[in-house]
Amino acid sequence: TNDETLQFDTQHEDMIHDAQLDYYGKRLATCSSDGSIHLFEINDNQQRFQEALKGHSGPVWQVAWAHPKFGSVLASCSYDGTVLIWKETAGSGFTVIKKHDKHQASVNAIAWASHELGPVLLCGSSDGKTSLLSFTEEGVWDVQMLRSAHATGVNAVSWAPVIATSAFTQPGATQSSGLVRQFATGGCDNNVKIWSYSDEKKTYEVVQTLEGHGDWVRDVAYAPNIGLPRTYLASCSQDKHVYIWTQDAPSPDDHAGQNRSVEWTRRALSSTPFPDVVWRVSWSMSGNVLAVSCGDNRITLWKENLKGEWESISEINEDGQKA
Amino acid sequence: MSRGKGVDKFVVKREKETALHLKPGVFPLGRQSEWAAQNRTLTFAIHPLTAGVAVSVAGKEPREKISKDIKVYEPDERVYFCKTVAVPDGRLPFANDTHAVFVAMQSIMGQEAEEVGVEGLLRMSALYREAMLRQVRMLQDAEQQQQQQQESEFVEAEVEVFQSMHAIWHLLEIIYLATNLPGLNTSVVPYYMEWLNFNFPAPLAEDGQRIADSARDADALNGNAELWPYLRKLALRGHMTTLANMLEQVAPAQQLSAPAARWARELARVSREMPLGTNDETTGSFNARWRRWSNEMRDIATAISSLLSEEEEDSQLKSLFTIAEILRGEVDVISEEGDLWQDVLGAILLYSEPTAQADRLPALAQAVLKQFQTDEFTQLDRALVALLNHDLAEFLVYSNQIDSWLSAHTSDIMDHLGILDEWRSVFAVDPRAHYLHLLGEKYLSHRDLWHVGLDYFGQSKTSAGVSLVEESIVRMPLESDRRAQKMLGVCAKYGLTTAADRIHRQLGRQKWQRGRLGAAIGHFARVEDRNAIGQICDQLWAEYLKSGNLTYGPIIDGVMAGGGLRHDRLQFLTQYRDFHESYKAGDFVAAGRILLAILVDETAPPHAIPDLLVDAIPLLEGDGLVFSADDTFELMRCAEALTQSPLVRKSIEAAAADPMLPWTESAATSGQDELGIFNVACARNLARSFVVQ
């Protein structure tokens, strides 16, 4: 069956590397090896090219939309080692408001923290470092480079849900003091690392290393927390496996739900390896569906069934066009 | 976690995979390996609200790291938007109708469950079935009008889905509701036969009509090859009246042997006399009548059987024997004649256990199913069998494969019946919530069913469900006031104060941009955004200064009419409007009193004070004494504060820098002059006031 309702040419002059919809699903940003970012307005079956953003001097790997409470803000990262933050202003379109050039190699992944933590951008680079770009109350951008976690390169970053699973129904769950400050990274050392904020050291540090992949980790993604009693983290790798890591709600004496002590349980998404390298994993907004992109040109959608196992519910594939 | 029941049956083979193909394709047919080796894969972005995915070809490595000889494929820069689930427009009436019943059920069962009881659930269940049947009729009408084959196939498939859903729901209603009414000790057999003949009609009425139309007389009727299979089917399904009528019609046929004619008449008579239970009759009394009737049928069968040994070639007599065997409940013959397992089960119930209760169904069904190739069963068969066996786990899984509406509502009604509780430990997740959320996500993908989808999230009565409502609603576009009001209604329903706040702020900003300032203030007032209200009031004041016409009166009146809103800026604008009107009416004393009150109450923004003092000049210089000595001293104090206070100066400087306010350098100079004039006017008024007083 053919269920696509809209398709269009992005007018990039080279390969696309990422496409991201904004918070409302109304705008699409695509980025390319041609060094540019293209923006489109999407409305049901129509699209309109809005703007081309040129600022990088190399292929642009990823784009990430910030939460709308900060305005129309978009971040991009590039093979040229820089991260740009763009902001839209009336009459001027998107302009660069911050250039982050502290990495020494390609910046492969970026992710905005949940809006409760403020405008904070996490970056992962081939130089093996992660960095945090935070917009402070004084109105300036603060850059914090974090100690190497994946010596041979960081390929993926993802923020944990900001509200602890145990605190979900409790009053004050969104109070600053109760927020979870945690993220995951995936790297060329085949590992997934969990980072947590240390109040004592005033910085993020690695608290757990999740081993299991046999090759580079290509993507990591925390599931949105919608009130389930456990945390879900998906990782995918060149070893053709996708793992779902789960962590139960923390113990009552775990302050702010940082969950340092509770172990992660690993489960393979599929009982058999995928046919090819798995490049991307991403959760639906509801956290119920995991989409997986595999090098065999299939995107499969997975859902946890009543038994607690993951099953493929749908796929988007490409069988090729007839000559 | 205990996993005692039905666990192994969770692994269900899907009859059809849901697969979407990108069209036109992104690489030439059969050359996927080459394409993938050319640095390509697919990437995607999931739409936050709909079940949509934006797919595009993506490069795995940057251009710098790959060979320059890489091929270029035309669709490389294309983006495809795919919908992974879709709700056809034709389902809208069904979705809306059943949603209304669903919501009512949650409300009623939440408050008056004991009073409502099984009878109430039965009534609501009937409403669901009516909706399904309406949908089938609508689809069948549409099918007749379809000209495109693809559309026709789609409609046909939809008809099948709804007919399956109805069959399942109807059986569920019989097993758990109709035969479970308090104080009722009823046989399941009449309900089962009604279910069987309604949902799996046989023989078909058009077959009977065709046979009847072709029969000019008894011989023509007897000569119709379709007749006797039709009669056997009538017997199997308990259509006694029709059976009797047709046997009587064919009996006079010349080509019928004498024994066949005789026994056709006999069977017709006995068929008409088949006992039917009544409400007034005891089970014992009915069983006694049944036994007599069944014995008579057995005697008939025996008599025909003895004739068959002599009349082996008499096919009509053979058919009459088969009919007699069916009617006396002979299981082997019933099994041979029945096409469907439902047929066989029905005939066994009807002719062997006419007073069987619902709890006999599992055992009888098991015995019948042994004769069928269950490997070839459809999802409908499996769901029905699971229902008969009370295997809730398997039933829900197969129901979901038929349609997500079915699994959502069956799990819901079973929860209300208290049946789901004993199964909860079997599942890793709450099945009711699981299926309601699934249905909610599906409905959310249709632009006209968003509120329905949200209700399925919210009514799951879980924190996850409420969270889904919140996460979804804050992402929805505020396309119109009506939609916004509906969204706010949803927020109120589920206690989503944070989401409601965000919507009000968005609406406030929207209306502000569109110049609907009163409405904007109203929204900001709901979230107590005093800063935004202040800014809008400053805008109103600036517009007045620029135009010289005080036109904001109706806006303020509208806002204040709502009541409960206290804001200095609003109070200032209201007072100034009153001052303006008093002045225009010539009531200078009142105007002066109001002007002084504004200054004393300090409700005016600092940057407006110079204008207010200038407004005082004509009142000071007027013919009548408006301000007393004390009033004049108060005015002078304000003027002094104006020149001395750094806060006031800063406010005036900020106003000067504000492009919205009509402030120029010449205006500043003019202001200095006016202050001088004001001071002189105050001095003169003081002198006058001493004389008068």
Side-chain angles (χ1 to χ4, degrees), chain B residues 174 178-179 184-193 277 283 286 349-350 353-359:
Chain B
I174 289 169
T179 55
L184 190 70
N185 188 19
T186 186
S187 164
V188 73
V189 177
Y191 292 99
Y192 183 90
M193 294 311 294
T283 305
F286 175 81
L349 281 168
L350 185 61
E353 300 195 32
T355 57
Q357 309 242 314
D359 56 11

Side-chain angles (χ1 to χ4, degrees), chain A residues 1-26 28 30 33 42 44 58-59 61 67-68 79 115 168-169 218 225-228 279-286 288-289 291-299 301 303-308 311-323, chain B residues 3 7 10-11 14 17-30 32 35-36 39-49 53-65 75-84 396-397 426-431 434-435 437-438 441 447 463-465 467-468 471-472 474-477 479 502 506:
Chain A
T1 57
N2 177 9
D3 270 358
E4 88 241 18
T5 54
L6 173 67
Q7 55 169 291
F8 59 92
D9 199 323
T10 58
Q11 300 168 43
H12 279 295
E13 293 165 3
D14 208 327
M15 299 294 300
I16 293 171
H17 294 296
D18 194 17
Q20 292 293 335
L21 287 162
D22 73 355
Y23 185 83
Y24 300 106
K26 288 294 184 190
L28 178 75
T30 58
S33 260
I42 309 291
D44 288 335
W61 274 127
H67 192 277
Y79 186 71
H115 68 91
F168 208 85
T169 53
R218 279 294 175 186
N225 183 355
I226 53 160
L228 295 176
W279 289 93
R280 169 154 286 181
V281 285
S282 183
W283 296 90
S284 65
M285 182 271 294
S286 65
N288 284 340
V289 176
V292 176
S293 172
C294 181
D296 69 339
N297 68 279
R298 278 172 214 271
I299 295 169
L301 302 176
K303 193 168 171 59
E304 195 175 23
N305 62 21
L306 291 176
K307 197 181 174 185
E311 57 181 19
S312 174
I313 57 170
S314 181
E315 72 172 53
I316 301 168
N317 62 33
E318 174 48 71
D319 286 344
Q321 54 176 332
K322 292 184 182 171
Chain B
R3 296 282 188 104
V7 168
F10 275 109
V11 180
R14 295 184 179 280
E17 277 291 331
T18 307
L20 305 170
H21 301 279
L22 299 178
K23 213 172 184 180
V26 295
F27 54 76
L29 190 64
Q32 187 271 333
W35 176 84
N39 187 40
R40 281 164 177 80
T41 185
L42 291 178
T43 191
F44 60 89
I46 303 177
H47 194 284
L49 278 177
V53 181
V55 180
S56 66
V57 176
K60 294 181 265 201
E61 299 287 354
R63 167 67 69 192
E64 286 77 353
K65 290 174 84 173
D76 276 353
E77 286 82 43
R78 194 176 295 155
V79 170
Y80 301 77
F81 274 81
C82 305
K83 276 194 175 177
T84 55
L396 287 176
V397 170
V426 171
F427 302 108
V429 296
D430 176 3
H434 176 86
Y435 287 122
H437 293 172
L438 208 61
E441 281 172 1
R447 59 174 290 112
S463 57
S467 178
L468 284 172
E471 287 295 327
S472 303
V474 294
R475 286 173 166 80
M476 288 180 176
E479 290 170 352
R502 283 181 61 181
Q506 259 185 285

Side-chain angles (χ1 to χ4, degrees), chain B residues 492-635:
Chain B
K493 192 174 178 180
Y494 295 108
L496 307 176
T497 50
T498 306
D501 273 4
R502 283 181 61 181
I503 292 171
H504 276 299
R505 283 182 204 280
Q506 259 185 285
L507 287 170
R509 281 193 293 271
Q510 266 183 13
K511 286 175 184 175
W512 193 353
Q513 281 171 359
R514 290 174 196 162
R516 292 175 56 190
L517 302 182
I521 290 174
H523 286 296
F524 287 122
R526 294 289 290 271
V527 298
E528 297 183 2
D529 190 341
R530 305 185 70 80
N531 190 38
I533 295 172
Q535 288 181 42
I536 294 175
C537 290
D538 286 347
Q539 181 178 329
L540 287 169
W541 177 251
E543 285 171 4
Y544 159 65
L545 289 181
K546 191 172 179 181
S547 68
N549 295 321
L550 198 151
T551 54
Y552 64 71
I555 297 173
I556 299 298
D557 288 340
V559 168
M560 302 307 279
L565 176 61
R566 297 184 66 81
H567 194 289
D568 282 353
R569 292 284 200 277
L570 282 171
Q571 187 178 343
F572 160 65
L573 289 177
T574 306
Q575 285 175 307
Y576 191 82
R577 189 271 311 272
D578 294 342
F579 157 75
H580 212 259
E581 284 179 357
S582 295
Y583 193 98
K584 270 177 71 175
D587 189 349
F588 301 120
V589 172
R593 192 179 330 117
I594 295 171
L595 187 63
L596 192 63
I598 292 174
L599 291 166
V600 167
D601 292 344
E602 296 182 354
T603 55
H607 59 75
I609 293 175
D611 300 297
L612 296 174
L613 295 178
V614 167
D615 283 335
I617 294 174
L619 295 174
L620 287 163
E621 300 277 28
D623 293 335
L625 185 71
V626 173
F627 295 111
S628 67
D630 287 341
D631 295 343
T632 311
F633 279 127
E634 193 56 44
L635 289 171

Side-chain angles (χ1 to χ4, degrees), chain B residues 637-646 648-649 652 672 675 679:
Chain B
R637 183 197 65 77
C638 291
E640 187 171 353
L642 179 69
T643 55
Q644 302 295 330
S645 166
V648 173
R649 265 206 302 278
I652 295 172
Q672 290 289 342
L675 193 59
N679 287 331

Side-chain angles (χ1 to χ4, degrees), chain B residues 48-124:
Chain B
L49 278 177
T50 68
V53 181
V55 180
S56 66
V57 176
K60 294 181 265 201
E61 299 287 354
R63 167 67 69 192
E64 286 77 353
K65 290 174 84 173
I66 56 174
S67 163
K68 290 200 187 319
D69 297 328
I70 193 163
K71 284 187 181 172
V72 173
Y73 299 88
E74 186 206 332
D76 276 353
E77 286 82 43
R78 194 176 295 155
V79 170
Y80 301 77
F81 274 81
C82 305
K83 276 194 175 177
T84 55
V85 293
V87 179
D89 288 344
R91 283 217 186 187
L92 284 183
F94 175 75
N96 283 315
D97 290 347
T98 53
H99 164 247
V101 177
F102 171 75
V103 169
M105 187 184 286
Q106 309 318 307
S107 174
I108 292 170
M109 295 306 289
Q111 295 163 14
E112 311 161 14
E114 284 186 13
E115 289 170 27
V116 169
V118 175
E119 297 97 326
L121 285 174
L122 183 60
R123 280 194 295 275
M124 286 186 272

Side-chain angles (χ1 to χ4, degrees), chain B residues 420-461:
Chain B
L420 207 60
D421 289 336
E422 61 186 85
W423 284 86
R424 278 202 158 87
S425 60
V426 171
F427 302 108
V429 296
D430 176 3
R432 176 176 176 274
H434 176 86
Y435 287 122
L436 288 179
H437 293 172
L438 208 61
L439 186 63
E441 281 172 1
K442 186 173 171 181
Y443 282 151
L444 217 58
S445 68
H446 194 290
R447 59 174 290 112
D448 293 330
L449 292 175
W450 61 270
H451 58 290
V452 173
L454 293 183
D455 265 338
Y456 280 102
F457 289 154
Q459 296 292 340
S460 70
K461 305 277 190 328

